[in-house]
Amino acid sequence: MSGLLCLCRQGFEPELAAELSERAAYANVAGYARTQRNDGYVVFVTEEGAALSKALSWRSLIFARQKLQVLAELPQLDAADRITPIIAALQGQQRFGDMWVEHPDSDEGKPLAGLARAFGNALRPALRKAGLLTDKPNTGLPRLHIVFVDGRHAFVCVADTRDSAPWPLGIPRLKLLPDAPSRSALKLDEALLTLMTPEERELLVKPGMRAADLGAAPGGWTWVLTRQHVKVISVDNGPLREHVLETGLVEHLRADGFHWQPETPLDWMVCDMVEQPRRVAERMATWFREGWCKHAIFNLKLPMKKRWDETRLCLELFQEQAGKPLHLRAKQLYHDREEITVLASPLR
Ligand SMILES: C[S@@+](CC[C@H](N)C(=O)[O-])C[C@H]1O[C@@H](n2cnc3c(N)ncnc32)[C@H](O)[C@@H]1O
């Protein structure tokens, strides 16, 4: 079996399957998505797994937390010896620079965490003995992933370290600091980490920059920006937490985020207003068309049924109305629930 295995938020398999199918067709790769509701993963079966993986970069996939290329599917492993068939499936492969044993982040997958840990400890020395794994992690070599979907059924996969999530299960482990005004702060933290490369982050988010935060209360996103020493105009009729205002970097405006506009152009605009996604996409486009900001990070809430269709429609609407070529990256982050987070920037 060859193809891609992508991990996603439980319940969002239809969106990921639609995304993979549409993008594979666009890349002229024949195949089909194999998926089951609430599995927390989708397999895209194709004989051109390597080509498809190249065509669909991890950062460009919206509903995939992780993207892996499948080397083998082992659906009937014997609990007495799972190692031998895995080593056999890897015959002829080059040495891997690391190995992770994982499982989907789903109701059925989560109980496999203990097995994954114990099995990883047993498999590692066997791989080294077979010349398939380096002694120390080496990010210059491909990473081996063993993904258990139940105790007897595993996928043997490979990931390019430059084109995959650098976190097991595709989940960055972020800690909510005690003075974070809201859990939403983690969303912007994760967006900065996931939607930009470290080089882009350094280039695009600098001390002294000016930003607007639309729908800012109680101040989580504003607080994340102030921690980067960015000055923020926080727009919301609701109150901001006192310690956010005390940073001296924040101006709180009680105004409507759909009507307020800055007096002079800003470096950044971020927006977490809970509203119809099309309305948000249109307002975000206005900001770029009018030159009110250079870069933006915004959330599109997707409480409706046809979430893939709505996602595509909103992103197309935004691009059409922004009136200039922009680089767009969108992801359903781990800390996003029924929503996606979008980065728009002129940077390519
Ligand atoms: C999800 S909360 C934002 C949380 C915030 N990002 C944080 O990290 O603490 C959504 C906010 O959007 C605000 N909001 C909704 N519609 C708005 C509008 N038209 N203008 C300004 N704020 C609005 C609400 O008052 C609410 O505080």
Side-chain angles (χ1 to χ4, degrees):
M1 195 249 139
S2 131
L4 297 186
L5 186 152
C6 294
L7 302 175
C8 65
R9 170 177 274 277
Q10 184 174 4
F12 281 77
E13 302 81 10
E15 285 69 29
L16 177 54
E19 181 181 18
L20 292 172
S21 303
E22 213 172 285
R23 297 230 13 224
Y26 193 73
N28 258 323
V29 171
Y32 62 94
R34 211 178 78 190
T35 173
Q36 216 168 279
R37 189 99 194 183
N38 289 326
D39 271 355
Y41 71 96
V42 174
V43 175
F44 193 85
V45 182
T46 170
E47 283 173 14
E48 303 163 79
L52 185 60
S53 184
K54 226 175 214 159
L56 310 188
S57 70
W58 166 68
R59 260 182 228 283
S60 75
L61 286 169
I62 301 173
F63 289 97
R65 284 180 185 168
Q66 181 59 291
K67 179 198 71 167
L68 308 170
Q69 194 192 323
V70 180
L71 298 174
E73 180 177 11
L74 305 173
Q76 286 184 326
L77 287 167
D78 181 350
D81 178 15
R82 298 180 179 99
I83 292 181
T84 305
I86 289 179
I87 302 274
L90 289 169
Q91 282 316 309
Q93 293 290 333
Q94 63 158 302
R95 204 135 60 119
F96 297 95
D98 204 353
M99 190 276 297
W100 295 351
V101 183
E102 300 169 292
H103 53 82
D105 184 37
S106 62
D107 294 343
E108 278 193 30
K110 280 179 198 163
L112 298 167
L115 164 71
R117 228 182 346 266
F119 185 70
N121 291 337
L123 181 61
R124 230 165 255 118
L127 288 169
R128 291 204 175 104
K129 201 169 151 205
L132 287 163
L133 182 65
T134 52
D135 287 337
K136 286 187 186 150
N138 179 346
T139 52
L141 293 176
R143 195 195 303 117
L144 176 64
H145 291 248
I146 311 294
V147 183
F148 279 100
V149 294
D150 69 47
R152 299 184 59 195
H153 185 174
F155 289 86
V156 180
C157 305
V158 60
D160 179 340
T161 55
R162 293 154 305 174
D163 183 27
S164 58
W167 315 285
L169 277 65
I171 300 176
R173 301 282 162 188
L174 298 175
K175 232 180 114 192
L176 189 68
L177 294 175
D179 55 341
S182 62
R183 272 199 73 77
S184 293
L186 290 174
K187 262 192 281 185
L188 187 58
D189 266 338
E190 187 184 349
L192 294 171
L193 207 60
T194 305
L195 298 176
M196 287 183 236
T197 64
E199 298 75 36
E200 288 169 343
R201 237 174 359 256
E202 202 159 304
L203 202 70
L204 298 189
V205 189
K206 286 191 181 145
M209 281 185 162
R210 296 165 63 236
D213 180 0
L214 310 180
W221 286 28
T222 293
W223 175 79
V224 169
L225 291 172
T226 62
R227 286 167 56 85
Q228 306 289 328
H229 309 283
V230 171
K231 294 180 197 154
V232 191
I233 303 170
S234 306
V235 181
D236 202 306
N237 277 314
L240 293 189
R241 293 279 301 277
E242 203 53 43
H243 70 279
V244 176
L245 295 168
E246 283 164 4
T247 56
L249 292 168
V250 178
E251 181 188 351
H252 181 196
L253 292 182
R254 291 183 190 272
D256 183 342
F258 282 96
H259 290 109
W260 179 81
Q261 66 180 75
E263 282 168 15
T264 53
L266 303 172
D267 301 291
W268 277 93
M269 178 264 291
V270 298
C271 171
D272 192 21
M273 291 191 286
V274 181
E275 249 296 343
Q276 283 177 22
R278 288 180 211 190
R279 189 167 179 229
V280 173
E282 281 182 343
R283 186 62 185 168
M284 300 295 100
T286 303
W287 272 69
F288 280 93
R289 203 171 53 242
E290 300 295 333
W292 296 337
C293 67
K294 281 200 201 109
H295 319 278
I297 290 179
F298 55 89
N299 256 1
L300 296 176
K301 316 285 171 186
L302 301 170
M304 63 289 298
K305 274 213 175 106
K306 294 193 166 177
R307 295 181 290 210
W308 170 247
D309 291 344
E310 189 67 23
T311 297
R312 217 183 34 185
L313 194 147
C314 286
L315 294 179
E316 282 170 7
L317 185 73
F318 170 79
Q319 254 169 333
E320 252 170 52
Q321 296 197 5
K324 58 181 74 162
L326 287 169
H327 193 54
L328 274 195
R329 279 187 202 143
K331 257 216 188 296
Q332 185 180 39
L333 305 171
Y334 175 68
H335 294 95
D336 280 338
R337 287 174 184 269
E338 291 203 312
E339 60 196 326
I340 58 166
T341 304
V342 184
L343 164 76
S345 165
L347 188 86
R348 285 213 76 82

